[in-house]
Amino acid sequence: VLGTPSLRDVPTAGALRVIQEPDELQVAAGDTATLGCRVEGAERGVQLRMEWLRDGGLGVLCATRLAFVTPPAVSPCPRRAPGVQLAWHPPRATLSLPQVRGNDSGRYICQVILEI
């Protein structure tokens, strides 16, 4: 079971809001898990830093800087998470975890920071 905090808005700096979908996801071993993160309230042209965190002391699973204008190509995440990819189509980001295994279960949190 891959989980996120409840689907309620997670407060952030200023008017920026981060909403994760789905609230809970069950995926069979070997399948791809897709987790969504929607950013609301950001103005065009701002720079965001997005980090996907996983509980259990595993820290940052994926981190990148994004412009709230043009979507980049799908980008890979750090070596710590081989095969994990992040797609950005403002205002939504999608994190894909290919070939899920039992030890991938846990709570995943999308954290978005407005860079100034």
Side-chain angles (χ1 to χ4, degrees):
V1 174
L2 303 176
T4 63
S6 69
L7 194 54
R8 71 190 187 318
D9 293 354
V10 178
T12 58
L16 195 66
R17 287 189 323 232
V18 178
I19 300 169
Q20 288 186 232
E21 304 168 309
D23 187 40
E24 185 173 299
L25 177 66
Q26 291 189 13
V27 181
D31 286 351
T32 297
T34 303
L35 305 172
C37 181
R38 192 170 73 235
V39 181
E40 294 182 349
E43 297 176 15
R44 289 184 60 80
V46 298
Q47 289 288 325
L48 304 172
R49 185 172 72 222
M50 179 174 285
E51 297 177 345
W52 280 89
L53 310 167
R54 184 171 156 210
D55 67 0
L58 298 175
V60 177
L61 178 68
C62 178
T64 190
R65 284 189 169 83
L66 303 167
F68 202 78
V69 185
T70 308
V74 172
S75 61
C77 291
R79 286 175 293 173
R80 189 182 321 177
V84 173
Q85 294 185 326
L86 181 70
W88 174 239
H89 301 283
R92 184 173 170 76
T94 304
L95 186 75
S96 298
L97 295 94
Q99 299 180 351
V100 171
R101 296 176 301 214
N103 62 357
D104 287 325
S105 65
R107 182 165 291 205
Y108 291 75
I109 300 169
C110 174
Q111 174 174 288
V112 180
I113 300 163
L114 179 63
E115 293 197 333
I116 55 174

